[in-house]
Amino acid sequence: MRFSLIFEAQIVDASPRGEVQVFNELMEQALLAEKLGFDVIWSVEHTSLTHYAHMSAPETFLAFLAGQTSRIGIGHGVVCLMPAMNHPIKVAERVATLDILSKGRVHFGVGKGGSQQEAGAYGYDLKELQPIIDEAMYLIPRMFMEDEVEHNGPHLTIPPRPIHPKPFQSPHPPMYMACTNLDTLARAGQRGLGALVLGFGGPEEVAKKNKIYRDAWQSRDVRDQVGYRPIQHLAALCPTIVLDDAQEARKIGLRGQRYFYESLNYWYGGGPCPDPDSWDDQLVEEGTNTIITTKLASETLTMDLKEREGDRKPSSGILSAQNAYGTVEDCIDYVQQLTDAGADEILFMTNMGTVPHWAQMETLRKIGTHVIPHFR
């Protein structure tokens, strides 16, 4: 079992000052996470999604992090493989260089991004991207392994060229795929890739996705393998705020989750821009009938902010208002549910818009001091 953090660089204050603040805070959190025994820092990659994610250059952030750490894993979760954004040659060169400088700590995830806002910035139609992403996905591991690569495909043409350097890890860093729907889960399993389950449905949904992934893995054809290092690994997202005061943790967590969801809905579902100043915190704390629906890639997500006392297991497909918000015991309970559902790795997420830095730092201390030792 691995225990990790995933960063979006999500902010309410989208000014240059706000961006400076969030990156400094994420670095402080990452350095603390290494000391506390967390396993990997994962960084998303998004472009042009104001408020929702300002982590648009993860290769720079992760390289800076690698230079200030010595043990913790360095995770691309994931690199968007649109060639105009990240050409496969540059991806292979950057990932291999980072793997060398970090002495083999890189985890390499691939995907295509989830919105036309991002795809359109580089001149693509999101609906037509998958074959291009697939071609690049198969091509990059060849660059890790072969002395010279030549490729003439439907979307990419590369004359014979040596690609340098080669990765530190042999044959190359472990590879993963962003899985936001059932099709991508099956594809990850069929291709022998780890699955980064970035949906928000909770343990019941993770259990269903786990079965799809494991079945696809067991029945995979070696000819479909991406790269030369098959791994069977499912990582599940876990929004988390852990404090001594369970009510305060829940209030902070729900408010951050609502901001996360409304900013997601703004870019992916056409909803209004989130305005936390207009929210009634008391209503959020006590539970309301607020329902928010949006799409992440092709998966429909629904968040019901109404609190259900005594029910810590969310319904299928629902972005639960429970999650790991509360005390250490609440967090252990929820992580156990994800583990029982088949998760090999917990992707703790505290960087949710309105969540203050002090609450994120305290959450990391609680997880590192109590939750991780409990499971180990």
Side-chain angles (χ1 to χ4, degrees):
M1 175 62 67
R2 290 206 305 241
F3 299 93
S4 305
L5 291 177
I6 186 164
F7 290 154
E8 303 257 0
Q10 185 172 111
I11 55 178
V12 176
D13 176 9
S15 70
R17 178 181 177 179
E19 291 175 328
V20 169
Q21 179 178 338
V22 74
F23 277 103
N24 286 334
E25 290 176 353
L26 293 183
M27 276 302 304
E28 188 176 350
Q29 292 168 29
L31 295 177
L32 177 62
E34 172 162 86
K35 293 178 182 177
L36 292 172
F38 284 75
D39 294 296
V40 184
I41 299 293
W42 291 93
S43 173
V44 305
E45 180 174 47
H46 287 297
T47 192
S48 301
L49 300 185
T50 309
H51 296 297
Y52 176 65
H54 288 236
M55 187 65 77
S56 54
E59 68 281 1
T60 304
F61 175 80
L62 291 173
F64 188 75
L65 175 63
Q68 297 199 37
T69 56
S70 60
R71 180 197 57 79
I72 201 163
I74 306 296
H76 275 288
V78 299
V79 178
C80 297
L81 294 184
M82 293 179 278
M85 180 181 184
N86 289 303
H87 191 279
I89 291 178
K90 293 310 298 179
V91 174
E93 292 169 343
R94 292 198 311 249
V95 168
T97 302
L98 182 59
D99 199 44
I100 291 170
L101 293 174
S102 67
K103 296 181 172 60
R105 290 187 278 146
V106 170
H107 298 263
F108 174 38
V110 297
K112 67 181 175 68
S115 71
Q116 183 57 38
Q117 172 78 1
E118 297 167 278
Y122 292 94
Y124 296 103
D125 182 337
L126 183 68
K127 300 184 186 69
E128 298 175 0
L129 262 180
Q130 194 59 56
I132 303 173
I133 303 303
D134 288 342
E135 189 171 337
M137 187 185 308
Y138 279 95
L139 186 56
I140 292 169
R142 288 182 52 203
M143 296 176 179
F144 289 149
M145 295 293 295
E146 298 176 17
D147 292 336
E148 186 173 87
V149 173
E150 180 179 10
H151 179 78
N152 293 286
H155 306 289
L156 292 163
T157 300
I158 299 174
R161 291 292 188 276
I163 308 300
H164 303 299
K166 302 305 182 187
F168 184 91
Q169 296 178 73
S170 179
H172 54 68
M175 292 185 65
Y176 308 77
M177 200 162 116
C179 298
T180 58
N181 57 58
L182 303 185
D183 289 341
T184 50
L185 270 166
R187 196 176 304 134
Q190 290 161 358
R191 296 178 181 181
L193 299 172
L196 302 177
V197 179
L198 303 178
F200 303 82
E204 292 181 11
E205 193 71 11
V206 168
K208 293 178 182 178
K209 291 180 174 182
N210 180 63
K211 185 177 188 310
I212 292 170
Y213 172 69
R214 306 293 179 182
D215 288 349
W217 170 274
Q218 294 299 333
S219 62
R220 75 191 191 284
D221 188 326
V222 68
R223 292 171 293 184
D224 296 327
Q225 174 71 42
V226 172
Y228 308 91
R229 185 182 178 179
I231 61 167
Q232 186 175 180
H233 183 90
L234 187 140
L237 196 67
C238 182
T240 312
I241 298 296
V242 184
L243 304 172
D244 289 330
D245 186 331
Q247 186 177 20
E248 183 179 23
R250 181 169 173 75
K251 177 179 177 180
I252 291 173
L254 278 175
R255 184 175 173 84
Q257 181 175 324
R258 179 174 179 177
Y259 186 88
F260 184 100
Y261 213 65
E262 289 195 7
S263 60
L264 178 76
N265 190 40
Y266 176 76
W267 291 114
Y268 288 69
C273 187
D275 181 17
D277 290 338
S278 69
W279 298 346
D280 187 329
D281 288 345
Q282 188 65 24
L283 289 178
V284 172
E285 180 181 338
E286 292 181 353
T288 72
N289 292 322
T290 302
I291 304 291
I292 309 167
T293 302
T294 188
K295 283 185 176 291
L296 175 60
S298 61
E299 180 178 35
T300 299
L301 305 173
T302 303
M303 177 178 177
D304 183 351
L305 288 176
K306 184 175 181 180
E307 183 173 353
R308 294 174 176 83
E309 290 295 339
D311 179 11
R312 294 190 57 79
K313 293 185 178 181
S315 302
S316 175
I318 298 297
L319 177 57
S320 170
Q322 305 297 321
N323 290 306
Y325 303 143
T327 64
V328 166
E329 290 73 21
D330 293 327
C331 184
I332 288 173
D333 172 65
Y334 193 79
V335 169
Q336 185 64 60
Q337 291 183 48
L338 292 175
T339 302
D340 292 344
D344 300 304
E345 180 174 5
I346 307 300
L347 302 175
F348 290 111
M349 183 174 67
T350 63
N351 172 225
M352 298 178 289
T354 60
V355 177
H357 180 51
W358 70 262
Q360 297 183 61
M361 292 289 282
E362 183 61 19
T363 295
L364 300 191
R365 293 187 191 99
K366 296 291 189 189
I367 293 172
T369 304
H370 302 288
V371 179
I372 293 176
H374 171 85
F375 288 96
R376 287 187 173 155

